[in-house]
Amino acid sequence: MVQDKIEREISIAAPVERVWEVVTEPEHLSTWFGSDTGKPVEVDHLRPGGGMVVDHGEFGVFPLKIETFDPPKLFAYRWASGFPGAEVTDANSTLVEFILRSEDGGTLLRIVETGFTALPAEVAELKYEENGGGWTGMAERVKEYTEGL
């Protein structure tokens, strides 16, 4: 049986406002979250209901639907990581949340992805496994990139 939630936390030696910029602004997202193709993340309004498109190179292009935009605390979007290029729906997507909190002069970044049990069975377990490892690496990339600014 597939699990429904992935959680990763990482401490970053940078103020919340800088980490917020890194996880929400296109020029930063393209560096740590996009592919190595050099294509920038496309953003259509950073607001609930807005959208983004991330190019993960060989893995595909993924539209994202922004659910929550509450600077500088919470950024959440839905994405259909098992269905490259597909329009995001409740039936094919998971919810990713970036939760930021000031801590010891820096930022605690918590990344949570939920909704795997609602995905079609043929992709749910695979996406849980892939995304679990992926978020571990992405959290490290956010930390290294942010602390290098």
Side-chain angles (χ1 to χ4, degrees):
M1 181 172 163
V2 70
Q3 296 184 46
D4 197 53
K5 182 189 281 188
I6 295 167
E7 294 183 83
R8 302 290 181 263
E9 283 189 351
I10 195 161
S11 293
I12 301 172
V16 167
E17 293 77 16
R18 183 177 312 144
V19 179
W20 178 259
E21 290 172 3
V22 167
V23 299
T24 61
E25 293 184 3
E27 64 272 16
H28 299 299
L29 281 165
S30 297
T31 302
W32 68 266
F33 189 57
S35 72
D36 295 329
T37 64
K39 294 182 181 175
V41 170
E42 297 175 30
V43 176
D44 170 34
H45 304 297
L46 285 172
R47 60 169 170 70
M52 301 170 68
V53 178
V54 177
D55 183 345
H56 278 296
E58 66 182 87
F59 302 107
V61 175
F62 298 90
L64 313 176
K65 180 183 171 198
I66 299 170
E67 295 288 324
T68 307
F69 192 80
D70 185 12
K73 301 179 288 187
L74 176 61
F75 175 53
Y77 63 81
R78 297 192 74 77
W79 73 323
S81 66
F83 306 93
E87 181 178 331
V88 174
T89 68
D90 288 345
N92 72 0
S93 66
T94 54
L95 179 69
V96 176
E97 299 172 286
F98 292 87
I99 304 154
L100 291 76
R101 185 178 80 221
S102 292
E103 180 181 86
D104 300 325
T107 302
L108 179 67
L109 172 63
R110 187 167 161 235
I111 303 169
V112 179
E113 185 171 10
T114 56
F116 295 95
T117 57
L119 295 175
E122 65 271 13
V123 299
E125 190 169 337
L126 175 64
K127 293 298 23 172
Y128 180 84
E129 293 297 322
E130 287 180 351
N131 293 10
W135 286 121
T136 299
M138 289 298 171
E140 286 294 330
R141 287 179 73 168
V142 170
K143 176 182 175 68
E144 290 171 15
Y145 177 78
T146 305
E147 290 178 354
L149 290 177

